Amino acid sequence: MTIKEVKEMLEAEVIIGSENLKREVKIGCAADLMSDILAFAKPGAILLTGLTNTQVVRTADVMDIKAICFVRGKRPDKKIVELARNNDMVILMTHLPMFESCGRLYKQGLLGVGYLDISKRDDRR
Amino acid sequence: MTEDKKYTKIQELTYELRVEDVMIKKVITVSPKETIYSLREVLRKNRISGTPVVEKGKLIGLISIEDFIKCLAEGEMYAIVAEKMINKVKVLFADEPLVHAVEKFDKYGFGRFPVINRGDGKLVGIITKGDIIKGILNKLVIDYHEEEIRRYRASHIFEDIVSDRTTLSFQYDIKSNDFDNAGESATKLKKTLRRLGIPPDIARRAAITAYEAEMNIVVFTDGGKLRASVRPDQILVEAVDSGPGIYDINQAMQPGFSTAPEWVRELGFGAGMGLLNIKNCADKMDIKSKIGKGTHLKAIIEINYET
């Protein structure tokens, strides 16, 4: 799914990265808890969150996530936007709540990380 | 991956390149009114074995050395090109992928194809098998050169350094309670590792390890240091602080066990996954901690260039 499709499905506003909307997102990850993203997200995902602080961008950067969508109409401040810009990310913002955002994307075929075993992660060979 | 899904680099390039990328743009042409005798001069001078016949910019035929030989044998040297040329010419469009050209050469066995604009039908070039080979080789050279530069930027640093053992060491100072900048060291480390040519998944695991350790230092301690020692075969991530120390390491390793204060949880951290996540990311992990003295975390991530 391209970021452009995500944007349309979530009726979202592009905050930065409008030149990169053709990028593909392979998977969806949603959490307000960055600890969980650090533990379970996958590279190439789009991150949906209602949390707006610089840690969201840093977490995404560490996880090789290049697209973030803030839900519930949470508008990221300048510092967050600048940090995201420096890291070549696309930032969207939707007024939909988290559940509805995830539901719309999932219904259109964007999958999640699947069943999780809290004691393991599987991005290692 | 199944056999039929494997594409060689060459096959990939035949899809990527277009006919116009490799064709010869300066086309030698003849007019339909010229004689076969003067055609001989054109072919000889330019060392070509065939040429498109053009009238008012439009391609109307193709004439080759074979046609010339036939005329020579039959004593028709003063016939005009229009009478002897091939009228129904197979052409390629300038914007077609190269793979179409390869297919057409295969199918018809011709030596060359005129190339025309899809829109106005104007002759814009000519392409031979040799041009295709040259075009692909050129592109391979360019791609190889880019790849070489990209890799050489730093990733050969270990090969360039002459020593029996090389370790590159990076240290980051981490302030206590500085939540705004927390995680910055981990992201800096990741960029550094990528510049060294460390594969993305390994750099990511080292960065996650560093991030979690950095968060712990910010949240729980009076500050500390994050250190990464990079060897050709492994990355050692160390986080050192001077207190307060972990009371029960086994308990701290349990998923969900957290002593993080409420403000940290509100910021999206302190879920009690940190140490476990480090353990899962690293190939080896060791924590030494003394109450009142501090904690020393060591995590080793092996570097495997194969993947």
Side-chain angles (χ1 to χ4, degrees), chain B residues 28-299:
Chain B
I28 312 286
T29 63
V30 290
S31 131
K33 291 185 187 111
E34 267 179 74
T35 60
I36 297 297
Y37 184 80
S38 63
L39 170 73
R40 185 186 74 157
E41 267 311 289
V42 175
L43 296 184
R44 195 188 60 81
K45 249 193 203 162
N46 299 295
R47 294 172 167 239
I48 50 175
S49 57
T51 176
V53 184
V54 173
E55 193 171 41
K56 288 171 191 156
K58 284 257 162 82
L59 177 77
I60 59 163
L62 198 67
I63 192 150
S64 74
I65 204 158
E66 272 176 57
D67 305 310
F68 170 77
I69 290 169
K70 259 188 232 159
C71 293
L72 189 67
E74 287 158 20
E76 293 183 286
M77 290 301 282
Y78 290 95
I80 59 167
V81 166
E83 292 166 2
K84 300 295 173 186
M85 69 183 188
I86 300 154
N87 293 352
K88 281 182 189 159
V89 188
K90 299 274 181 231
V91 297
L92 285 164
F93 291 114
D95 60 358
E96 276 186 279
L98 207 52
V99 66
H100 287 179
V102 174
E103 281 161 7
K104 277 198 175 160
F105 274 111
D106 242 15
K107 189 172 163 194
Y108 297 108
F110 297 159
R112 70 195 58 73
F113 284 97
V115 182
I116 63 170
N117 260 341
R118 196 182 289 274
D120 55 15
K122 279 221 168 116
L123 181 76
V124 289
I126 190 157
I127 188 169
T128 65
K129 283 184 191 172
D131 298 328
I132 295 182
I133 293 169
K134 246 186 261 167
I136 288 176
L137 284 177
N138 275 340
K139 184 80 171 103
L140 276 177
V141 168
I142 293 166
D143 285 1
Y144 180 76
H145 195 62
E146 279 171 4
E147 172 74 10
E148 233 184 0
I149 291 171
R150 194 184 63 75
R151 284 202 182 188
Y152 203 80
R153 273 172 61 201
S155 59
H156 286 215
I157 195 160
F158 286 115
E159 287 161 37
D160 289 345
I161 294 171
V162 185
S163 76
D164 291 332
R165 251 183 81 173
T166 306
T167 307
L168 295 173
S169 182
F170 311 103
Q171 183 168 305
Y172 303 90
D173 299 330
I174 298 161
K175 282 187 201 140
S176 174
N177 286 319
D178 181 8
F179 197 79
D180 259 359
N181 292 312
E184 207 185 327
S185 306
T187 54
K188 281 181 186 165
L189 173 64
K190 185 175 171 222
K191 281 199 179 80
T192 305
L193 294 176
R194 292 292 293 131
R195 279 186 196 144
L196 286 177
I198 306 288
D201 58 319
I202 289 163
R204 185 168 60 246
R205 278 163 45 206
I208 295 169
T209 301
Y211 200 140
E212 297 281 14
E214 186 178 356
M215 274 299 167
N216 286 344
I217 293 178
V218 170
V219 172
F220 296 110
T221 76
D222 300 332
K225 291 189 192 327
L226 186 71
R227 210 160 38 224
S229 309
V230 185
R231 292 193 339 209
D233 60 330
Q234 68 165 52
I235 302 163
L236 167 65
V237 177
E238 285 176 282
V240 187
D241 64 65
S242 50
I246 301 168
Y247 178 72
D248 180 344
I249 291 171
N250 277 334
Q251 193 180 31
M253 292 290 296
Q254 293 303 308
F257 177 83
S258 174
T259 55
E262 193 52 39
W263 67 269
V264 173
R265 294 178 197 237
E266 274 167 21
L267 291 166
F269 287 86
M273 295 295 297
L275 289 180
L276 186 66
N277 202 13
I278 292 176
K279 190 181 164 217
N280 287 334
C281 281
D283 292 295
K284 263 185 221 156
M285 177 179 108
D286 177 56
I287 308 179
K288 289 203 166 51
S289 188
K290 258 196 181 145
I291 296 291
K293 294 264 170 161
T295 302
H296 189 158
L297 175 134
K298 286 184 189 175

Side-chain angles (χ1 to χ4, degrees), chain A residues 34 55 61 64 79 125, chain B residues 179-180 182 190 201 204 268:
Chain A
M34 290 303 113
Q55 304 308 325
D61 183 30
D64 293 324
K79 212 152 90 187
R125 297 149 318 273
Chain B
F179 197 79
D180 259 359
K190 185 175 171 222
D201 58 319
R204 185 168 60 246

Side-chain angles (χ1 to χ4, degrees), chain A:
Chain A
M1 190 179 285
T2 63
I3 299 178
K4 187 164 180 277
E5 289 173 281
V6 171
K7 174 198 170 276
E8 278 155 17
M9 270 172 240
L10 300 185
E11 299 161 56
E13 178 185 320
V14 181
I15 304 217
I16 52 157
S18 54
E19 68 282 9
N20 288 322
L21 295 184
K22 276 189 195 151
R23 263 189 215 159
E24 284 280 325
V25 286
K26 294 181 208 149
I27 211 169
C29 289
D32 286 353
L33 206 51
M34 290 303 113
S35 295
D36 280 354
I37 297 299
L38 272 181
F40 301 119
K42 293 265 166 74
I46 180 162
L47 167 61
L48 284 84
T49 185
L51 190 71
T52 43
N53 59 39
T54 49
Q55 304 308 325
V56 174
V57 178
R58 293 217 173 91
T59 302
D61 183 30
V62 163
M63 300 307 290
D64 293 324
I65 289 173
K66 290 282 181 204
I68 300 171
C69 181
F70 292 102
V71 299
R72 305 194 283 273
K74 294 271 187 81
R75 193 173 288 276
D77 67 21
K78 226 171 136 188
K79 212 152 90 187
I80 298 171
V81 172
E82 272 316 300
L83 195 58
R85 198 195 305 277
N86 291 337
N87 285 299
D88 184 36
M89 291 177 183
V90 179
I91 303 270
L92 305 177
M93 195 270 288
T94 175
H95 287 278
L96 293 172
M98 180 80 102
F99 183 80
E100 176 122 27
S101 302
C102 296
R104 287 196 186 183
L105 296 180
Y106 196 83
K107 203 171 146 196
Q108 293 301 319
L110 186 72
L111 297 180
V113 292
Y115 181 82
L116 293 174
D117 183 342
I118 203 165
S119 63
K120 278 186 210 142
R121 43 186 299 140
D122 61 357
D123 65 342
R124 289 175 54 197
R125 297 149 318 273

